[in-house]
Amino acid sequence: MEGKVEAALSIWKDGVEVGSKRYRLEPYCTVYQAELLALARATRVIMGSEASEFRVFCDSRAALDSITNNDCYHPLAVEARENIIVLQRIGKIIKILWIKAHVGVKGNERADKLAKEAALKLKTKADYSACPVSYIKTHIRGTSIKEWHRRYDDRETASVTKAFFPRVETAYPIVRKLKFDQTLTQLMTGHGGFLSNLYRFKLRDSPACPCDSIYDETPLHIIAECAIFSRERQELETEIKIQICTEEIKNIMENKK
């Protein structure tokens, strides 16, 4: 809530709430960590109680699966499992059950309310601050893409590719979904059998396009201007409802997302 991650416990006996706990996590923590923290702290509360039978309700299947899976080595899941083993050894009965969220279960609704209040009101030091791998990966990827774009933008090369993808940030999700073959790769880089490219390497006497000698045969010319492909271009414009020109290529690619 509001960029904050919190967890809470609502403790009940004979249909009445007899206690509650609220926990603050660092903003980079995940909801999954918050759910695991609540379960681990619940087992701590039970260890300090004189009662002999307990039921713990949780609406997160992922957190419950982690606790019951001995191959899950998340520290909070391990702590919860170890506490449960200790409780069972001293004769306490503990059942951890899944319940559906937001269906009016009083204890669960109360725990959600406590967590929201914690997000708004708690100003104390975080009760849990372990940084999840997912956050680190996201941070590294974001930093890498930012540096990638700086280099991409500063250099004068890749002019054809930049017409398709002017910014690395917007290119990344599109490129991941494209199925590249030889033709598409040549088209988006300009490094193929285009007369302008062949002329650069002295493999042709002229870069001029067969449609008109005033135009160089480049990928962008073929896509947006070449009269030879006017029929195909018109059919594509009708299909995508966008007039194809060099300035619109980047927008067409972004719409492909």
Side-chain angles (χ1 to χ4, degrees):
M1 183 176 181
E2 296 188 359
K4 299 179 180 179
V5 184
E6 316 295 340
L9 300 178
S10 179
I11 306 166
W12 292 63
K13 182 178 181 180
D14 298 327
V16 178
E17 186 181 51
V18 295
S20 63
K21 301 282 186 180
R22 298 184 300 181
Y23 307 102
R24 191 176 77 80
L25 292 81
E26 291 290 0
Y28 49 72
C29 291
T30 64
V31 174
Y32 169 71
Q33 287 177 305
E35 298 285 2
L36 277 180
L37 178 66
L39 288 171
R41 293 296 188 269
T43 59
R44 286 190 188 182
V45 170
I46 292 172
M47 292 182 77
S49 173
E50 295 181 356
S52 60
E53 186 172 347
F54 304 86
R55 292 182 182 179
V56 179
F57 296 93
C58 175
D59 60 19
S60 171
R61 287 190 183 275
L64 292 174
D65 289 344
S66 296
I67 289 177
T68 57
N69 180 9
N70 290 327
D71 291 328
C72 176
Y73 299 105
H74 191 289
L76 291 173
V78 172
E79 178 188 344
R81 279 200 300 271
E82 290 178 347
N83 288 346
I84 291 170
I85 291 171
V86 171
L87 290 167
Q88 290 172 338
R89 284 176 179 171
I90 61 177
K92 293 192 176 185
I93 300 172
I94 176 171
K95 295 181 180 180
I96 300 181
L97 307 168
W98 176 80
I99 54 171
K100 191 173 182 179
H102 310 302
V103 292
V105 178
K106 288 184 179 180
N108 193 52
E109 296 296 329
R110 173 62 175 156
D112 284 345
K113 183 179 179 181
L114 288 168
K116 291 176 182 177
E117 289 176 355
L120 295 173
K121 298 178 181 179
L122 278 186
K123 306 297 182 183
T124 58
K125 180 181 178 182
D127 297 284
Y128 189 79
S129 60
C131 187
V133 174
S134 59
Y135 173 82
I136 296 172
K137 287 182 177 179
T138 300
H139 180 72
I140 291 174
R141 187 175 71 178
T143 303
S144 299
I145 289 177
K146 186 176 180 180
E147 175 60 19
W148 182 7
H149 179 73
R150 186 191 67 78
R151 298 183 184 185
Y152 181 69
D153 198 43
D154 287 348
R155 294 179 181 176
E156 297 180 359
T157 56
S159 59
V160 174
T161 305
K162 287 176 182 177
F164 291 95
F165 307 112
R167 296 192 61 81
V168 171
E169 293 92 334
T170 55
Y172 185 76
I174 302 172
V175 171
R176 288 180 63 190
K177 296 179 181 179
L178 288 176
K179 294 182 179 180
F180 282 92
D181 56 18
Q182 182 180 4
T183 302
L184 187 58
T185 301
Q186 291 182 15
L187 186 67
M188 290 188 169
T189 61
H191 300 304
F194 307 103
L195 293 179
S196 58
N197 189 53
L198 297 175
Y199 178 74
R200 286 176 54 211
F201 294 99
K202 303 186 185 305
L203 298 175
R204 289 292 187 274
D205 295 330
S206 170
C209 181
C211 76
D212 194 322
S213 60
I214 66 172
Y215 298 112
D216 287 353
E217 188 190 70
T218 65
L220 300 181
H221 168 70
I222 291 173
I223 292 171
E225 301 168 337
C226 184
I228 296 173
F229 298 99
S230 59
R231 179 179 176 180
E232 289 84 352
R233 188 180 306 111
Q234 186 176 14
E235 290 175 352
L236 181 57
E237 288 175 338
T238 301
E239 180 181 343
I240 65 176
K241 296 180 174 57
I242 299 176
Q243 183 178 0
I244 297 174
C245 60
T246 303
E247 293 74 17
E248 283 294 330
I249 290 176
K250 63 179 184 297
N251 296 325
I252 294 171
M253 294 305 301
E254 288 181 4
N255 288 336
K256 187 171 177 61
K257 291 190 293 185

